[in-house]
Amino acid sequence: MTTRDLMRESLRNFRAYVAGGKQLQPDLSMPIVKLNANENQMGPGPKAVMAMTAELGLGHLYPMETIQRLKKKISEHVGLPVECVSVYHGSGSGIGAIGEAFLNPDDEMLVCSPTYMAYYMLPGRFGAKLVEVEADDGVSTDLDKIYDAITDKTKLIFICNPNNPTGTLLDAEKLFDFIKKVPEHVITVVDEAYIDWVSDESYPSAMKMVEDGRNLIVLRTFSKIYGLAGCRVGYAIANAEVTECLGAVAMGPNRIGAAGAAAALDDIEYYNAAKENNSTQREYLTREMEKLGITVVPSSTSFIYFAPHCDTKDCMDFLESQGVFIRYFSEEYIRVSIGLPWQNKQFLTALSKYLMRYQKKAV
Ligand SMILES: Cc1ncc(COP(=O)(O)O)c(C=O)c1O
């Protein structure tokens, strides 16, 4: 018998989640271009850094009042009462709290594949069952299929919008119609980790559907546009009753991260600069990759999901040999996070080098 045999049965095949899919072994002989985990390569903004530095001196005190300040800031930011806000040690921990609060053994949780990896592991942690429907085109979340798969046992539906890893964005009206018609015994979770990167400034958040007592949870994170992935702060917006249920199990952020997140919400200059870099570089990368004959899925996010029409594993190995780390998904698709201009150039140089070699080999 091994110790693993003592683990809860539903968890025995699980391994630790590694952001980016792979633990990097830094080779200090070359600069590493890390475009595998959708981090914001601009680093944290100056206001967040200043607030976190100031907070360090209070590290001996439990973080309650800093967390209250953050919740208040978030409530003002989203225009909803503070009773609708819960904060987490990263939105990944928010995903865990949702499972812990709501999933009973034998409940079903619905997702449309492909979507964010962490959802797939959630139901197993609570003895619940994952029910997957597949995107017909391999990339776009199919709300009709999700709706048709709802049963009496469905407890949770996870929708990532825009979707990770594909970068696709749902039609907002269709999403709102879907949320309205989901039956009462089901809680819909809309994960908006990447919504800040959407170009259309008028694109609405699902938060506007939260107010009227519906079983809806909207997840957000400070790990993406606010550049605070290492500081671990995320939040959920839901009606007061749902938020109270989540409060029973939530694990909040630490004092330093909470202070950084609160200050980040005020740093409009940094936010706009991050958005500007991402939009410009997204257009540039899309254009250059298409010139290389690559199929690029139009992205509303800080990453690009693409089919290079070659052996994707071999391609990734080559990129790694050039110091460029991206994320493998399937024999057809891989994903690159959008970085700073020099990083994107290094990625494109390595990719075109590989494709030239590959095309030569194929002749
Ligand atoms: C869709 C989605 N949701 C949630 C998360 C988790 O974010 P956090 O760093 O806040 O745990 C990620 C991280 O990559 C993500 O892609």
Side-chain angles (χ1 to χ4, degrees):
M1 179 183 283
T2 66
T3 309
R4 193 160 275 275
D5 294 325
L6 300 176
M7 275 183 88
R8 280 167 41 214
E9 246 167 65
S10 59
L11 297 183
R12 271 182 216 158
N13 293 326
F14 281 27
R15 292 289 179 274
Y17 177 70
V18 179
K22 187 168 185 175
Q23 200 74 51
L24 304 191
Q25 308 291 339
D27 169 358
L28 300 177
S29 64
M30 70 171 111
I32 281 192
V33 174
K34 188 176 179 303
L35 301 177
N36 65 344
N38 303 338
E39 291 144 332
N40 182 344
Q41 299 293 334
M42 281 175 55
K47 288 195 176 164
V49 171
M50 259 170 31
M52 290 192 287
T53 310
E55 197 77 8
L56 282 172
L58 299 174
H60 60 300
L61 299 176
Y62 287 111
M64 287 326 289
E65 90 282 353
T66 313
I67 286 180
Q68 278 315 113
R69 187 153 45 89
L70 172 61
K71 279 192 185 173
K72 191 159 171 288
K73 264 253 130 86
I74 292 170
S75 128
E76 285 158 13
H77 180 70
V78 301
L80 286 167
V82 79
E83 291 72 27
C84 297
V85 181
S86 52
V87 292
Y88 301 92
H89 181 75
S91 63
S93 153
I95 293 169
I98 294 169
E100 199 176 347
F102 295 110
L103 284 176
N104 284 313
D106 298 328
D107 281 348
E108 291 176 358
M109 176 180 136
L110 258 167
V111 297
C112 180
S113 293
T115 190
Y116 181 45
M117 288 301 290
Y119 308 154
Y120 295 87
M121 296 183 252
L122 189 67
R125 283 166 58 186
F126 305 99
K129 187 176 152 203
L130 178 77
V131 178
E132 245 181 292
V133 297
E134 303 260 340
D136 274 339
D137 61 0
V139 294
S140 316
T141 305
D142 188 329
L143 294 174
D144 293 331
K145 276 196 179 175
I146 297 180
Y147 188 75
D148 290 343
I150 294 174
T151 69
D152 290 347
K153 290 188 165 182
T154 308
K155 177 66 69 65
L156 291 175
I157 297 173
F158 267 80
I159 296 169
C160 190
N161 188 47
N163 191 35
N164 182 13
T166 61
T168 51
L169 184 68
L170 283 164
D171 178 281
E173 283 312 313
K174 279 196 186 140
L175 176 60
F176 294 170
D177 287 346
F178 173 89
I179 291 169
K180 275 187 213 152
K181 68 180 185 184
V182 167
E184 254 186 7
H185 68 282
V186 181
I187 296 165
T188 308
V189 182
V190 181
D191 185 344
E192 296 186 339
Y194 298 96
I195 201 161
D196 296 282
W197 304 115
V198 173
S199 298
D200 177 1
E201 299 292 339
S202 66
Y203 188 83
S205 162
M207 281 179 202
K208 74 180 233 189
M209 308 285 289
V210 155
E211 286 150 293
D212 51 5
R214 196 170 273 123
N215 286 332
L216 170 68
I217 301 171
V218 179
L219 281 173
R220 292 281 185 100
T221 179
F222 285 90
S223 298
K224 305 302 170 186
I225 202 160
Y226 297 104
L228 293 172
C231 306
R232 316 301 305 124
V233 191
Y235 64 95
I237 300 295
N239 70 47
E241 204 181 339
V242 173
T243 302
E244 213 176 291
C245 298
L246 291 171
V249 293
M251 185 169 133
N254 68 46
R255 171 180 280 285
I256 317 298
L265 287 175
D266 284 334
D267 205 340
I268 311 293
E269 213 174 305
Y270 170 86
Y271 179 98
N272 288 340
K275 191 152 178 165
E276 171 60 27
N277 174 69
N278 194 68
S279 307
T280 314
Q281 292 298 307
R282 186 166 62 196
E283 268 172 42
Y284 163 71
L285 277 172
T286 303
R287 201 171 51 240
E288 295 303 313
M289 285 160 81
E290 281 176 347
K291 278 191 209 156
L292 294 170
I294 289 167
T295 303
V296 176
V297 178
S299 169
S300 294
T301 59
S302 57
F303 53 82
I304 294 176
Y305 193 61
F306 65 98
H309 309 296
C310 63
D311 180 335
T312 47
K313 273 231 158 77
D314 195 43
C315 176
M316 292 235 345
D317 287 345
F318 179 79
L319 290 184
E320 284 185 21
S321 75
Q322 307 292 296
V324 178
F325 292 82
I326 62 170
R327 178 81 194 258
Y328 175 84
F329 280 91
S330 68
E331 284 176 8
E332 193 179 0
Y333 283 104
I334 40 186
R335 185 195 74 191
V336 63
S337 306
I338 296 164
L340 302 174
W342 71 268
Q343 297 171 318
N344 300 332
K345 280 210 179 87
Q346 194 163 320
F347 157 72
L348 279 173
T349 305
L351 184 62
S352 44
K353 225 193 237 179
Y354 176 78
L355 289 174
M356 260 156 50
R357 267 177 41 161
Y358 185 84
Q359 278 148 6
K360 259 196 214 141
K361 257 198 253 168
V363 174

